[in-house]
Amino acid sequence: LTKGSFEILLLQLEIPLMTVEYAALTAAENGIKVIFNPAPAQKLHDYLLKHIWLITPDETETEIITGIKIKNETSAETAALYFQSKGVKNIVITMGAAGAYVKSDSFTGVIHGIKVDPVDTTAAGDVFNGALAVAVAEGMDLKAAVTFANKAAAISVTRLGAQASAPYRSEIK
């Protein structure tokens, strides 16, 4: 996890929390942007949160971590302020078909979802996060990156399965 070997580290909680904390700290110390999808949700240490460049919880994960139930843009803003108070620089709270609430230095507000007829939502969060990391790596600002990730997730829910539902880069326009 040294600077120059890569620019972004995407983490989630399907590996031990201690491993996630170590990876986030090491990456942050080396100038690597840490994108953190806190799934499956659990309480998190402030130690971890202060090393996160971007956190991407869904509504349920946000409530588990912050204690704030996401009902609308106002409650999403309150939860985002909680994350910022813990040191997270950028927040994207995903809200399914309603889109995503974004709080960053460059943009704050809701980026609406894309209307589709869902078939299987199994991999929507993973596809969203993977596409978000791709968009950030390609140099998109956070608003454009979330729009791109919403498009990828919308495509994925129209297909059956997890891995098979992930769109190719060329499909996301």
Side-chain angles (χ1 to χ4, degrees), residues 54-137:
L54 170 62
I55 193 167
T56 63
D58 67 16
E59 298 153 299
T60 303
E61 294 154 358
T62 299
E63 185 175 1
I64 290 168
I65 296 165
T66 68
I68 299 165
K69 185 169 183 62
I70 304 302
K71 298 182 222 166
N72 52 35
E73 189 171 342
T74 302
S75 56
E77 168 77 11
T78 303
L81 290 171
Y82 168 89
F83 285 120
Q84 281 189 327
S85 76
K86 301 297 183 182
V88 180
K89 292 166 189 58
N90 302 286
I91 298 92
V92 176
I93 299 172
T94 60
M95 302 181 295
Y101 177 83
V102 178
K103 183 146 185 71
S104 71
D105 288 341
S106 62
F107 176 80
T108 295
V110 174
I111 297 175
H112 295 286
I114 295 154
K115 270 251 195 244
V116 294
D117 292 320
V119 174
D120 183 359
T121 62
T122 302
D126 292 331
V127 168
F128 179 90
N129 280 280
L132 185 63
V134 165
V136 169

Side-chain angles (χ1 to χ4, degrees), residues 135-169:
V136 169
E138 290 180 353
M140 290 184 205
D141 65 28
L142 198 52
K143 183 177 181 184
V146 171
T147 300
F148 178 84
N150 275 345
K151 290 175 184 177
I155 292 168
S156 78
V157 300
T158 65
R159 301 173 178 171
L160 288 174
Q163 192 172 0
S165 74
Y168 289 98
R169 171 65 180 89

